[in-house]
Amino acid sequence: MVNTQELVNHFSKLLRLQAIEYLIKRDCMMYNHPIPSDEEIDFRKSMIFKMPCCTKMLKRLFSDAHDMHEEKGMMPHAVSVGDLEWCLKNRVIGYSCTQRVKHSWLVAKEDDDLRRLPAFIELTRIYKPMIESGKNILPPVEKKAVENEALAIVNELAISMKEA
């Protein structure tokens, strides 16, 4: 039997990585910037993946960085990882888009180009039977975070029991 939660976790992570790669390449093509090498794309993907911007807001983050370029009077150019980090700290999106956005691990409904990515299609296949049966869709769960939280609760209980 296939573990649905593991599939959701896997394809949610894959969707984020595919969306990041697509946005990097699209951005370079849009501004006639040479497409980076595979190693450079992998490096940029890993840096952007670590940012606290949810998948749903990634496309908006890139747009926000271009707006920042325009407002500062810069020549239009492909965004750098530094531009995206600066925008997260100082611009419209900020840190508010991490997990407070409903279904933040998916891409936005209006982003048809991102909804054609293979990982999104796979998530759709997983979620379709759930939705048809009236169940809620499963969010991805970070196993390590759950384990750390459980360990913290156990430690807290152990300390309170010693004090009692």
Side-chain angles (χ1 to χ4, degrees):
M1 186 174 141
V2 178
N3 184 336
T4 306
Q5 184 66 62
E6 286 179 12
L7 285 174
V8 168
N9 291 351
H10 170 74
F11 286 116
S12 296
K13 180 179 179 180
L14 192 60
L15 174 62
R16 182 171 174 81
L17 289 168
Q18 287 176 358
I20 291 168
E21 183 171 356
Y22 172 83
L23 291 168
I24 290 169
K25 288 180 178 178
R26 183 178 141 258
D27 200 50
C28 289
M29 289 171 55
M30 202 162 68
Y31 290 96
N32 294 324
H33 190 286
I35 301 289
S37 66
D38 289 341
E39 294 82 25
E40 177 66 19
I41 285 179
D42 288 342
F43 176 73
R44 287 188 194 181
K45 275 182 6 186
S46 69
M47 296 298 289
I48 297 170
F49 186 81
K50 294 175 191 172
M51 289 182 191
C53 180
C54 67
T55 304
K56 185 167 281 201
M57 302 297 258
L58 279 171
K59 196 169 182 180
R60 185 168 162 219
L61 178 61
F62 273 74
S63 300
D64 201 31
H66 289 296
D67 292 345
M68 178 267 297
H69 291 163
E70 193 175 298
E71 289 168 15
K72 287 186 172 186
M74 296 177 178
M75 290 292 293
H77 63 280
V79 298
S80 68
V81 173
D83 292 336
L84 298 174
E85 288 174 335
W86 188 88
C87 286
L88 271 174
K89 292 176 185 169
N90 301 294
R91 300 273 300 174
V92 177
I93 290 180
Y95 288 95
S96 64
C97 67
T98 50
Q99 293 302 323
R100 295 185 196 121
V101 177
K102 189 174 183 186
H103 305 320
S104 61
W105 66 96
L106 299 173
V107 293
K109 286 183 180 176
E110 57 274 7
D111 295 335
D112 290 334
D113 49 350
L114 297 177
R115 292 171 88 81
R116 289 189 204 111
L117 293 171
F120 184 84
I121 293 167
E122 289 302 317
L123 279 170
T124 304
R125 287 187 185 135
I126 295 168
Y127 288 146
K128 189 175 181 180
M130 290 177 175
I131 293 167
E132 287 173 351
S133 67
K135 295 180 184 173
N136 289 330
I137 63 173
L138 291 172
V141 173
E142 190 181 330
K143 219 175 190 179
K144 190 68 178 163
V146 172
E147 289 170 1
N148 288 344
E149 190 174 336
L151 188 59
I153 291 169
V154 168
N155 289 339
E156 192 176 309
L157 283 172
I159 291 169
S160 64
M161 289 175 73
K162 282 183 184 178
E163 292 173 354

